[in-house]
């Protein structure tokens, strides 16, 4: 495998300007999703079919540190061992040789099984195209020698892009520095989690303080799917799993054959 | 700042933030409102371990990236800084050589000057103003040389008086007023005052959180005292840096888009005796010139040539004034007619023409028509309900903007919707409004050419990136066509009062679109005989009519290339750092006033002898004295007499004293030579420092609108978020930005939420004596009640960027803010007033 190219996000530098969100929308030509303000600066509770990334705003308070306001840029982690890829019945997911998990909309039938399989719940259904969507790591830009749009826009230097081994080294040094300067629990995320991801975080505190799963797990459903459903996808499942949680998914597979998509999912 | 240093501008520049050891951000939410400037502080962290302190009523996105955050109740900056001044003096932390050599600490102050219980000598309670004759120095027998005590021990010296003045600001008293936890306050004091060491430099950055108070100017004055004591002025990584909220607000003030000045910060003429003719006027605007014996301009010129009066560099004011007149009226401006000084409009001496005053006059029906360009007062003006009513009394209004913003549509039903019935607020509807409204679609910033002067005084040319949409036009086009149209209407007039219009020099090209470079040529200045740019800068300007210059501080921004074409320096784009020690001067990127000097007062970057760097600080020297050459040399343009030897080379050449001024003598301020703490006009607590409730020299426009704490118990304040730009007229019309901040919201503490039964995300109504608004509540841990004098005081923070137009809408918070402003600048007190809040 070629050397991985990774997107590093250092929360200790991020000012939550959200320029990356706009750059992502611009680069991917995604329409605005205007939802009412509900009391958190993030505005959206989660990514959606037209929003591949967002900044989370999480408040913490404890007697030692006082108030902390943690920001986290949230998007696909581009896992090396990508669950989304394993469960997709149409093989819509592929890995670029430098590590991006990319998703082919033409192959996607909108079954959303990846959404449930992904340890981070990243892929989201988009009604207007009847597919799921997610961050692409801007692979088209990268393959033309450019940086991802979000990285290019980031004014604070919180986002950087480069070889994973080099960035990991930088991240380790940064964590060391942060630990010595008032952030004793600073850590790297994405180095080992899920066998490594191609998006690395430098965190100033433990992952839970950023709403990240401390030990992300492969969804129980993936196992069911991989061992049972996928091999027989063509003929067995409608009968076998008609009443189960996966029936919606399998119905979509059958529907896709008839090119007659039912309404479903969420946007 | 100008009473302390001589100029009112940001002293350093954005790139220079990386050279600082400690940055104090106070009254600014820099990370949100200057995200790109913030980048340079990040660079400072990377290259030299810069520490960042944030002092603010709220924990914001700036606090997150700061090393130390200290909360402070809105409107108590002078108490906070007064305590810092006392701490520096008590603990001997000031930079002694610097203070001795570069400030007026040793000057003796007149015996009549006095201060008692919040009032300086000369106060007139009926007029709410001071007679400042006693705010002066002691002079020797001839009445010109100021007496000094270099030992700084004479009880009448500035240093001792300052010590006495701030002796009341002990840490406990300060924290009682500001509500800052004592440990946090001490942390700030300790960290920032480390920059008093000669090898350390600290930088102060501020914005509207400092200026939008009835004591706004004095807040800045307190900064100047801190920075002079610590020896942080005129050095890389130091200074007092006003972060401008608009990309060209510096340019707008340079060009005098204000009522009290004409271009280049010269007082605007009034219809009063001291301004009756050119000679009187130049005497009035040249500091100390009132008593110069001169009966005509020739005699005055001779006095100036002989170095009389002692007014620092402003001794040249007559040259700037005459060159300005010459540039405006060309051949019609000649020695025989006072260079057409009588053409200059004179303002009423007793009248105020500031924003608040203008809308008060409009409300009284005194104004017929209004041009609104690049502003949106229905969202951005204080007491917006009143300002909207004022607009309804106009006969006509022209609005120039990219979109039909709230001001352009002030006459619609949507504009007058209010959340509750309120007998204090008048509700109109379109049928009640007779104002004829015209709308001129304006080109966006990328659709037009010209210069903008950014916060660090850099003038940068911007080329057009796209053609304007539809029929929209550049501002320059609008003004040019209007001026030409008006001149055409008057061309046959024989009336003398029409001469200023008939004889106006006006020519910015022959095409439909005016040429910005010709505007640049005019304010850069030229010799009248050959129309050639004055490359040497303003030192070459004359008051005999041989030079013309539209704005003296911009003089020298244009030269002639060898091939005879114009070289407009703001167009330069050389991104090589010319500083040999990596200070990031970039002197050939754009151009900056004055005379491309990147860091003003840079004489202070080296010791008084002019050759020795401050101990341990060799890399931050900007200029040094070259004895062999008999001149100052260095990477930056020196801010002192180029050939004045070190013992004569004053560091603050724009001050008559030549020194930085702790004590602001005479007419510098309307409200006192030293800053003193007063509560905001509307405050929930009494003044613990003296018995004056609020600034005794502030004009009160609407005494009947003073909110009472029984009815309006909480502090209200306003601010912006990074997602929206100013009044939101631009950003709320862009879907991707509207998505990021879709609605108007206010922030309150969890404690206040509990008190008023408000949960995060609830709809609330916020009210003052001026009006009500509806908004969504953001209940947050980032705001805490302040403990003021033992009592809990709550604050409600409101975004002021919303209105009823665009994709992201909400009530304008300025429907709540008062019509009261700073005693000197009239900047409205948007930042601290009284309100109430309840669930909708
Ligand atoms: S984060 Fe989810 S969508 Fe992204 S690669 Fe990993 S499993 Fe796939
Ligand atoms: S890498 Fe590209 S697609 Fe992914 S969040 Fe950044 S801009 Fe969006
Ligand atoms: S652009 Fe950079 S600083 Fe701004 S929110 Fe995104 S990651 Fe943070």
């Amino acid at each position: 495998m070629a050397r991985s190219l990774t997107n590093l996000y250092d929360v200790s530098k991020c000012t939550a300007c959200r320029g990356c969100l706009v750059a992502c929308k611009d680069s991917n030509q995604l329409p605005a999703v205007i939802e009412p303000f509900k009391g958190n600066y993030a505005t959206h509770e989660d990514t959606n079919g037209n929003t591949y990334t967002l900044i989370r705003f999480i408040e913490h308070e404890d007697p030692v540190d006082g108030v902390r306001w943690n920001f986290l840029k949230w998007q696909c982690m581009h896992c090396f061992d990508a669950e989304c890829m394993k469960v997709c019945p149409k093989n819509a997911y592929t890995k670029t040789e430098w590590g991006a998990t990319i998703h082919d909309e033409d192959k996607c039938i909108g079954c959303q099984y990846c959404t449930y399989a992904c340890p981070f719940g990243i892929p989201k259904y988009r009604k207007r195209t009847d597919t799921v969507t997610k961050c692409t790591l801007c692979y088209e830009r990268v393959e033309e020698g450019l940086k991802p749009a979000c990285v290019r826009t980031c004014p604070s230097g919180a986002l950087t892009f480069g070889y994973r081994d080099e960035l990991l080294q930088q991240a380790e040094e940064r964590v060391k520095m942060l630990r010595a300067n008032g952030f004793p629990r600073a850590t790297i995320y994405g180095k080992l989690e899920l066998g490594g991801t191609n998006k690395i975080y430098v965190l100033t505190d433990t992952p839970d303080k950023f709403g990240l799963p401390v030990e992300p797990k492969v969804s129980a459903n993936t196992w069911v799917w991989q061992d049972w459903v996928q091999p027989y996808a063509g003929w067995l499942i409608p009968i076998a799993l008609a009443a189960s949680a996966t029936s919606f998914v399998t119905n979509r597979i059958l529907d896709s054959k008839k090119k007659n998509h039912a309404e479903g999912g969420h946007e | 700042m100008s009473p302390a240093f001589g100029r009112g501008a940001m002293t350093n520049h954005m790139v220079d933030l990386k050279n600082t050891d400690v940055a104090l951000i106070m009254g600014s939410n820099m990370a949100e409102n200057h995200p790109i400037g913030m980048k340079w502080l990040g660079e400072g962290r990377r290259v030299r371990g810069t520490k960042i302190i944030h002092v603010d009523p709220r924990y914001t996105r700036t606090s997150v990236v700061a090393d130390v955050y200290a909360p402070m109740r809105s409107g108590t900056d002078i108490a906070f800084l007064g305590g810092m001044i006392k701490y520096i003096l008590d603990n001997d932390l000031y930079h002694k050589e610097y203070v001795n050599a570069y400030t007026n600490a040793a000057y003796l102050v007149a015996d009549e000057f006095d201060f008692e219980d919040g009032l300086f000598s000369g106060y007139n309670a009926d007029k709410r103003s001071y007679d400042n004759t006693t705010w002066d120095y002691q002079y020797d027998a001839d009445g010109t040389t100021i007496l000094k005590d270099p030992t700084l021990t004479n009880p009448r010296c500035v240093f001792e008086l300052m010590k006495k003045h701030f002796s009341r600001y002990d840490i406990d008293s300060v924290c009682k007023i500001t509500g800052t936890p004592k440990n946090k306050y001490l942390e700030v004091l300790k960290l920032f005052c480390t920059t008093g060491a000669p090898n350390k430099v600290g930088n102060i950055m501020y914005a509207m959180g400092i200026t939008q108070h009835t004591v706004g100017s004095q807040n800045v004055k307190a900064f100047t005292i801190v920075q002079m004591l610590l020896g942080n002025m005129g050095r890389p990584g130091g200074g007092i840096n006003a972060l401008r909220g608009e990309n060209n607000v510096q340019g707008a003030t340079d060009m005098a888009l204000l009522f009290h000045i004409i271009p280049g910060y010269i007082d605007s003429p009034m219809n009063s005796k001291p301004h009756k003719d050119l000679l009187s006027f130049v005497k009035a605007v040249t500091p100390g010139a009132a008593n110069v014996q001169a009966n005509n301009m020739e005699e005055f010129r001779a006095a100036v040539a002989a170095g009389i009066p002692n007014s620092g560099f402003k001794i040249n004011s007559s040259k700037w004034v005459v060159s300005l007149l010459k540039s405006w009226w060309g051949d019609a401006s000649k020695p025989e007619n006072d260079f057409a000084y009588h053409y200059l409009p004179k303002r009423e001496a007793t009248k105020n023409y500031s924003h608040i005053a203008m809308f008060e006059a409009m409300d009284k029906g005194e104004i017929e028509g209004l041009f609104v360009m690049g502003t949106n007062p229905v969202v951005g003006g204080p007491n917006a309900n009143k300002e909207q009513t004022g607009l309804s009394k106009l006969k006509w209004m022209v609005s120039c903007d990219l979109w039909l913003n709230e001001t352009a549509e002030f006459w619609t039903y949507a504009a007058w919707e209010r959340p509750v019935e309120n007998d204090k607020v008048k509700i109109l509807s379109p049928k009640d409004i007779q104002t004829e409204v015209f709308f001129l679609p304006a080109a966006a910033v990328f659709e037009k050419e010209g210069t903008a002067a950014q916060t660090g005084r850099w003038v940068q040319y911007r080329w057009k990136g796209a053609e304007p949409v539809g029929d929209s036009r550049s501002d320059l086009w609008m003004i040019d066509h209007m001026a030409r149209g008006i001149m055409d209407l008057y061309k046959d007039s024989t009336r003398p009062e029409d001469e200023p219009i008939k004889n106006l020099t006006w020519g910015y090209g022959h095409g439909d679109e005016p040429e910005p470079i010709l505007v640049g040529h005019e304010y850069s200045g030229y010799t009248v005989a050959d129309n050639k740019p004055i490359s040497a800068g303003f030192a070459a300007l004359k008051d005999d009519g041989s030079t013309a210059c539209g704005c003296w501080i911009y003089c020298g921004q244009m030269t002639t290339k060898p091939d005879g074409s114009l070289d407009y320096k703001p167009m330069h784009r050389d991104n090589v750092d010319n500083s040999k020690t990596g200070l990031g001067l970039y002197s050939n990127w754009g151009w900056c006033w004055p005379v491309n000097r990147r860091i003003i007062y840079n004489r202070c970057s080296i010791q008084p002898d002019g050759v020795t760097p401050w101990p341990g600080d060799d890399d931050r020297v900007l200029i040094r004295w070259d004895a062999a050459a008999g001149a100052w040399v260095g990477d930056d343009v020196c801010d002192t007499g180029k050939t004045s030897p070190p013992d004569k080379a004053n560091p603050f050449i724009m001050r008559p004293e030549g020194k930085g001024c702790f004590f602001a003598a005479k007419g510098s301020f309307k409200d006192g030579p030293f800053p003193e703490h007063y509560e905001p006009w509307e405050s929930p607590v009494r003044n613990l420092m003296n018995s004056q409730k609020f600034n005794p020299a502030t004009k009160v426009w609407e005494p009947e609108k003073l909110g009472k704490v029984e009815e309006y118990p909480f502090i209200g304040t306003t601010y912006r978020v990074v997602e929206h730009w100013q009044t939101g007229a631009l950003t709320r019309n862009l879907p991707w930005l509207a998505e990021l901040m879709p609605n108007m919201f206010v922030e309150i503490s969890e404690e206040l939420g509990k008190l008023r039964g408000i949960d995060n995300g609830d709809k609330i109504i916020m009210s003052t004596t001026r009006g009500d608004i509806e908004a969504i509540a953001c209940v947050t841990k980032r705001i805490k009640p302040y403990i003021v004098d033992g009592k809990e005081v709550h604050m409600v923070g409101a975004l002021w960027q919303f209105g009823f137009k665009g994709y992201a809408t909400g009530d304008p918070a300025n429907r709540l803010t008062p019509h009261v402003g700073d005693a000197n600048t009239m900047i409205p007190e948007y930042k601290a007033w009284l309100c109430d809040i309840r669930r909708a």
Side-chain angles (χ1 to χ4, degrees):
Chain A
M1 198 171 151
R3 242 170 127 192
S4 292
L5 284 163
T6 293
N7 189 333
L8 170 74
Y9 170 70
D10 182 343
V11 304
S12 71
K13 291 184 181 164
C14 175
T15 59
C17 74
R18 300 162 93 197
C20 47
L21 276 57
V22 177
C24 181
K25 290 234 159 177
D26 181 32
S27 182
N28 292 295
Q29 285 300 297
L30 299 168
V33 183
I34 302 182
E35 293 179 334
F37 180 83
K38 294 188 243 4
N40 188 300
Y41 278 37
T43 322
H44 298 308
E45 272 147 35
D46 199 355
T47 53
N48 56 52
N50 288 314
T51 309
Y52 297 171
T53 180
L54 47 88
I55 298 283
R56 286 185 177 163
F57 293 76
I58 303 167
E59 293 179 1
H60 278 288
E61 188 170 12
D62 66 51
V64 185
D65 298 329
V67 176
R68 285 255 165 100
W69 202 11
N70 290 340
F71 309 140
L72 185 84
K73 184 175 177 296
W74 182 240
Q75 73 296 297
C76 170
M77 297 298 287
H78 298 275
C79 320
F80 285 125
D81 194 14
E83 298 304 318
C84 53
M85 202 162 142
K86 287 187 210 159
V87 301
C88 178
K90 291 303 215 179
N91 294 321
Y93 285 94
T94 46
K95 262 301 193 199
T96 65
E97 57 172 10
W98 49 272
T101 309
I102 58 174
H103 169 259
D104 183 347
E105 280 202 31
D106 292 338
K107 287 192 185 151
C108 178
I109 50 170
C111 73
Q112 299 169 61
Y113 203 75
C114 51
T115 304
Y116 305 108
C118 169
F120 304 99
I122 286 297
K124 292 285 168 358
Y125 180 67
R126 177 166 68 193
K127 208 158 129 189
R128 75 182 151 94
T129 51
D130 190 23
T131 57
V132 298
T133 62
K134 67 164 197 72
C135 156
T136 64
L137 204 56
C138 286
Y139 72 96
E140 282 164 329
R141 288 176 58 92
V142 172
E143 286 175 5
E144 279 171 32
L146 303 170
K147 289 176 186 169
C150 53
V151 177
R152 181 180 177 273
T153 250
C154 177
S156 69
L159 287 171
T160 40
F161 188 73
Y163 289 116
R164 187 169 188 268
D165 45 3
E166 284 171 12
L167 290 181
L168 263 178
Q169 216 176 331
Q170 275 174 32
E172 313 252 10
E173 268 157 40
R174 184 79 188 160
V175 164
K176 227 185 275 162
M177 197 284 285
L178 288 168
R179 283 189 181 165
N181 282 285
F183 300 98
R185 294 177 300 278
T187 183
I188 300 182
Y189 191 85
K191 184 184 176 191
L192 302 171
E193 281 73 13
L194 295 164
T197 60
N198 206 25
K199 168 90 198 180
I200 302 169
Y201 287 147
V202 168
L203 304 178
T204 47
D205 208 331
T206 48
D208 57 306
K209 297 281 173 11
F210 295 86
L212 286 167
V214 181
E215 281 178 59
K217 283 198 185 63
V218 174
S219 155
N221 290 340
T222 307
W223 176 84
V224 175
W225 182 259
Q226 269 194 302
D227 287 1
W228 290 96
V229 185
Q230 209 171 21
Y232 310 104
W235 50 276
L236 182 68
I237 9 120
I239 317 141
L241 296 165
S244 79
T246 40
S247 65
F248 164 75
V249 179
T250 49
N251 282 333
R252 301 276 309 191
I253 296 171
L254 296 176
D255 280 352
S256 81
K257 297 213 161 109
K258 289 185 255 151
K259 286 281 170 217
N260 174 22
H261 293 180
E263 281 290 284
H266 50 274
E267 186 158 0
Chain B
M1 260 191 287
S2 133
F5 307 135
R7 304 184 186 102
M10 177 164 174
T11 59
N12 295 43
H13 58 90
M14 281 297 186
V15 181
D16 182 63
L17 304 184
K18 75 177 175 123
N19 298 320
T20 192
D21 295 302
V22 186
L24 171 61
I25 306 174
M26 188 162 168
S28 158
N29 182 359
M30 190 179 177
E32 299 205 38
N33 297 325
H34 305 88
I36 306 300
M38 196 70 195
K39 209 172 156 159
W40 292 106
L41 274 185
E43 183 64 5
R45 270 197 162 154
R46 198 179 67 77
V47 298
R48 64 183 312 136
T50 299
K51 293 270 181 243
I52 303 173
I53 303 172
H54 188 221
V55 179
D56 202 271
R58 241 179 359 132
Y59 186 95
T60 67
R61 283 178 252 196
T62 305
S63 323
V64 173
V65 285
D67 297 279
V68 180
Y69 163 72
M72 182 207 77
R73 175 168 63 95
S74 184
T76 61
D77 306 79
I78 291 174
F80 195 100
L81 295 164
M84 187 179 284
I85 295 166
K86 178 173 163 56
Y87 179 84
I88 297 169
L89 293 169
D90 285 357
N91 296 292
D92 232 19
L93 298 171
Y94 63 100
H95 189 164
K96 295 184 190 60
E97 298 73 24
Y98 187 106
V99 168
N100 280 328
Y102 298 149
T103 73
N104 72 348
Y107 290 30
L108 300 188
V109 172
D111 285 329
E112 301 75 36
F113 168 74
D114 197 13
F115 173 80
E116 221 196 302
D117 192 25
L119 291 177
F120 297 92
S121 41
Y123 188 61
N124 181 329
D126 296 330
K127 290 194 184 149
R128 294 190 57 78
S129 68
Y130 285 101
D131 167 1
N132 57 33
T133 32
T134 61
W135 308 353
D136 204 350
Y137 302 112
Q138 294 183 23
Y139 298 92
D140 69 357
D142 69 12
T144 52
T145 312
I146 303 166
L147 300 180
K148 302 175 187 93
D149 171 30
T151 65
L152 306 187
T153 50
N154 185 319
R156 295 306 295 177
C157 81
V158 166
F159 192 75
E160 279 300 308
L161 284 175
M162 172 168 69
K163 235 182 187 168
K164 185 171 155 222
H165 185 84
F166 291 104
S167 63
R168 298 162 296 137
Y169 290 77
D170 59 276
I171 291 171
D172 288 307
S173 306
V174 167
C175 292
K176 242 182 175 175
I177 295 173
T178 63
T180 311
K182 198 169 156 183
N183 60 340
K184 282 285 156 198
Y185 187 54
L186 274 168
E187 226 182 300
V188 173
L189 295 182
K190 280 194 188 129
L191 181 53
F192 196 67
C193 298
T194 56
T195 66
N199 64 341
K200 294 269 182 254
V201 184
N203 172 348
I204 294 183
M205 278 158 284
Y206 73 94
M208 300 299 121
I210 286 291
T211 52
Q212 291 174 346
H213 292 284
T214 38
V215 291
S217 305
Q218 295 285 357
N219 282 344
V220 179
K221 182 72 185 42
F223 281 156
T224 68
I225 295 180
V226 168
Q227 287 298 66
M228 281 190 281
L229 282 173
L230 296 173
N232 286 336
M233 295 308 301
R235 300 172 66 185
I240 301 175
N241 297 300
L243 303 171
R244 306 297 187 165
E246 275 270 9
N247 56 353
N248 197 24
V249 93
Q250 183 67 55
T253 50
D254 297 344
M255 293 302 135
L257 292 189
L258 290 163
F259 77 94
H260 64 296
I261 49 172
I262 54 178
Y265 302 95
I266 301 165
D267 287 344
S268 65
M270 292 179 272
N271 64 352
S272 59
K273 210 162 164 223
H275 290 179
K276 70 176 179 346
D277 53 25
L278 180 63
L279 180 65
S280 326
F281 181 66
V282 297
K283 278 188 177 180
V285 296
T286 311
N291 300 324
V292 169
Q293 293 303 318
N295 298 311
N296 52 46
M297 282 302 286
E298 280 74 52
E299 289 177 28
F300 186 76
R301 211 170 285 143
V304 167
I308 306 166
N310 172 26
S311 20
F313 198 70
K314 285 190 182 158
I315 193 171
N316 298 306
S317 299
S318 62
K319 299 165 188 166
W320 311 332
V321 172
V322 172
S323 295
L324 178 70
L325 293 169
K326 199 68 200 159
S327 92
W328 283 355
W329 286 294
D331 292 344
S333 156
K334 7 178 212 226
E336 306 85 87
N337 72 349
D338 251 6
F339 293 101
Y341 172 76
H342 61 298
Y343 285 2
L344 266 185
K346 314 287 183 297
R347 66 184 158 102
E348 190 73 51
T350 52
K351 221 171 171 171
N352 187 300
Y353 300 79
S354 64
H355 179 98
I356 293 177
M358 189 170 74
F359 276 91
E360 289 284 340
M362 213 179 289
D363 195 57
K364 292 200 193 85
E366 291 168 12
I367 295 179
E368 248 184 48
L370 182 73
F371 261 84
V372 187
M373 280 181 110
T375 179
N376 185 9
V378 168
V379 172
N383 201 352
N385 277 329
K386 183 165 194 174
E387 301 208 343
Q388 208 171 312
T389 313
L391 294 178
S392 74
K393 297 182 180 166
L394 293 168
K395 262 200 189 142
W396 55 266
M397 184 189 86
V398 183
S399 163
C400 318
D401 208 276
L402 271 63
W403 277 275
L404 283 164
N405 61 17
E406 286 79 2
T407 302
E409 301 235 311
F410 83 92
W411 50 273
T412 57
Y413 285 107
W416 297 90
E417 271 167 24
R418 296 294 181 273
V420 284
E421 288 276 312
N422 186 335
D423 53 10
K424 285 178 243 155
V425 180
K426 205 156 65 182
I427 300 292
L428 302 177
S429 77
K431 69 172 174 1
D432 307 321
I433 299 170
Q434 305 307 323
T435 315
E436 191 174 358
V437 179
F438 302 87
F439 182 74
L440 301 179
V445 58
F446 307 111
E447 299 169 343
K448 59 189 178 192
E449 281 198 27
T451 60
Q454 47 85 293
T455 181
R457 298 167 283 107
W458 291 17
V459 188
Q460 300 174 90
Y461 198 85
R462 296 193 292 210
W463 288 266
K464 193 198 269 187
E467 285 306 315
V469 173
D471 238 357
S472 51
R473 299 295 157 94
S474 68
D475 311 295
L476 195 53
W477 184 95
M478 292 182 204
I479 292 166
D480 182 52
H481 281 250
M482 194 158 58
R484 289 203 248 163
I486 293 171
M487 287 170 77
D488 202 43
L489 289 174
Y490 283 82
K491 68 176 186 302
D492 299 324
S493 166
T494 51
R495 298 187 308 177
E497 64 265 39
D498 295 340
E499 277 179 23
I501 297 173
K502 275 178 62 185
N503 293 337
L504 194 63
T505 44
W506 196 273
Y508 306 107
H510 302 292
D512 183 52
E513 187 69 34
E515 294 173 37
I517 193 165
L518 296 177
V519 182
H521 179 258
E522 176 177 315
Y523 57 74
S524 178
Y526 51 90
T527 37
V528 172
D530 58 7
N531 202 32
K532 285 234 170 73
I534 298 172
S535 316
F538 44 66
L541 293 177
K542 301 260 163 42
D543 56 7
D544 57 6
S546 61
T547 60
C549 180
C551 184
W552 71 273
I553 55 173
Y554 279 62
C555 191
Q557 63 164 350
M558 195 173 290
T559 60
T560 318
K561 289 186 199 158
D563 69 358
S565 62
L566 295 176
D567 180 7
Y568 196 17
K569 293 181 180 169
M571 290 180 173
H572 289 188
R573 288 293 181 276
D574 178 353
N575 60 359
V576 175
D577 179 12
N578 57 306
S579 159
K580 289 174 203 72
T581 47
L583 296 173
L585 289 173
Y586 297 101
S587 299
N588 298 313
W589 178 281
W591 180 86
C592 100
W593 72 262
V595 292
N596 207 25
R597 192 178 281 139
R598 300 280 153 152
I599 295 178
I600 50 180
Y601 318 122
N602 55 26
R603 166 72 179 92
C604 305
S605 71
I606 193 150
Q607 292 209 35
D609 67 7
V611 288
T612 322
W614 291 112
D617 206 33
D618 300 19
D619 287 352
R620 281 185 291 209
V621 172
L622 288 165
I623 58 164
R624 63 176 79 230
W625 176 250
D626 182 340
W632 291 90
V633 294
D635 295 336
D636 200 6
V637 177
C638 72
D639 194 2
T640 191
K642 174 100 185 135
T643 54
S644 313
D647 59 328
K648 299 260 161 28
N650 276 329
F652 294 91
I653 54 170
M654 297 301 287
R655 289 291 317 166
E657 296 89 339
K659 310 269 183 197
C661 298
F662 290 118
F663 177 86
K666 287 180 261 186
S668 304
F669 283 113
K670 292 205 163 73
D671 48 359
F674 288 130
E676 171 70 356
H677 169 73
Y678 306 105
E679 287 294 322
W681 184 55
E682 287 187 342
S683 165
V685 295
R686 72 187 172 90
N687 187 348
L688 295 173
M689 216 20 107
N690 57 62
S691 56
Q692 310 304 318
K693 191 178 165 337
F694 63 100
N695 188 343
T698 278
K699 179 170 167 62
V700 178
W701 294 91
E702 300 180 297
E704 74 286 359
K705 290 283 184 194
L706 180 72
K708 293 193 185 57
V709 69
E710 300 75 36
E711 275 175 85
Y712 301 101
F714 311 129
I715 302 170
T717 193
T718 58
Y719 42 78
R720 306 191 286 171
V721 286
V722 65
E723 291 84 353
H724 287 301
W725 173 244
Q726 302 290 52
T727 68
L730 182 72
T731 50
R732 288 186 287 105
N733 277 296
L734 299 175
W736 286 334
L737 297 178
E739 172 181 10
L740 296 183
M741 275 300 168
N743 303 94
M744 168 66 192
F745 66 88
V746 302
E747 292 178 315
I748 57 171
S749 66
E750 291 177 339
E751 290 80 356
L752 179 54
K754 212 179 242 163
L755 194 71
R756 282 291 194 251
I758 297 167
D759 289 329
N760 194 28
D762 279 356
K763 256 199 193 136
I764 59 94
I765 287 172
M766 186 177 177
S767 51
T768 69
T769 64
R770 276 82 55 187
D772 312 83
I773 59 163
E774 195 178 88
I776 297 165
C778 174
V779 181
T780 169
K781 297 183 196 305
R782 295 175 292 104
I783 294 182
K784 295 274 180 258
Y786 306 99
I787 308 300
V788 179
D789 196 14
K791 285 188 294 282
E792 218 177 49
V793 174
H794 296 279
M795 178 182 81
V796 183
L799 300 187
W800 63 267
Q801 306 180 286
F802 283 83
F804 48 87
K805 300 282 299 175
Y807 296 107
T809 57
D811 285 347
N814 276 318
R815 288 181 180 162
L816 307 173
T817 53
H819 254 197
V820 66
D822 175 58
N824 302 283
T825 61
M826 313 290 156
I827 293 177
E829 189 158 59
Y830 291 110
K831 294 297 186 217
W833 28 276
L834 287 179
C835 69
D836 193 13
I837 183 172
R838 65 176 192 275
R839 280 178 63 162

